[in-house]
Amino acid sequence: MTAPRNPTDVAPTVHSLDPAVLGTDADPLALDSRSPVGTYALVFDAPETTIEVGALGEHRLSAGAYVYVGSAFGTGGLRRVLRHRRVAAGDHDARHWHVDYLGGSPAVDLARVVCVTDRDVECAVATELASSLGAAGVDGFGSSDCSCDAHLARGDSVETAIPLVEEAFRSKM
């Protein structure tokens, strides 16, 4: 008889999802009925625009892909991503986090959600993306509870950013 494998020995799956599947029958995370914890990245497609980011003030954004990295280890877990999707769709107006100001801008589209369950790789992925995407986002964005410069990075396009985000998650596991 073989001993069962330790669940922490199994390589976690990096989920790269169209935001439209979240909370539906096609959602592999089943966020409509479960609350797994983990780390996530939201990939936004933005034209050149100006947004007001709460206490960080007004920021002019160049056109491109913006990647926000966050984690959800509290009550509700990754169901928080459903809330971010509702803000991005214009279905929820409350702005609690910096990313709500970006996602809630009518000019900005949420293009992809990349996440992993049961792993806290938020700062490691944010640091990797700042390096691999090669362009800064907004200093202090999403990093008020850690020592990172920001948890927002900018890339040239969604098409080039998504594979870099997926690889950043895989490399930090």
Side-chain angles (χ1 to χ4, degrees), residues 137-161:
V138 174
D139 284 343
F141 193 105
S143 60
S144 57
D145 61 349
C146 68
S147 61
C148 296
D149 291 336
H151 281 207
L152 182 71
R154 185 193 158 281
D156 291 333
S157 71
V158 167
E159 294 76 21
T160 59

Side-chain angles (χ1 to χ4, degrees), residues 7-68:
T8 59
D9 292 341
V10 177
T13 300
V14 174
H15 299 276
S16 184
L17 306 168
D18 177 338
V21 306
L22 296 173
T24 70
D25 290 340
D27 180 355
L29 299 171
L31 293 180
D32 58 336
S33 60
R34 295 182 53 237
S35 300
V37 297
T39 303
Y40 62 94
L42 306 176
V43 183
F44 295 97
D45 190 11
E48 185 173 318
T49 190
T50 300
I51 61 170
E52 180 75 28
V53 185
L56 294 178
E58 190 174 274
H59 289 274
R60 184 91 180 137
L61 302 180
S62 301
Y66 285 84
V67 182
Y68 167 76

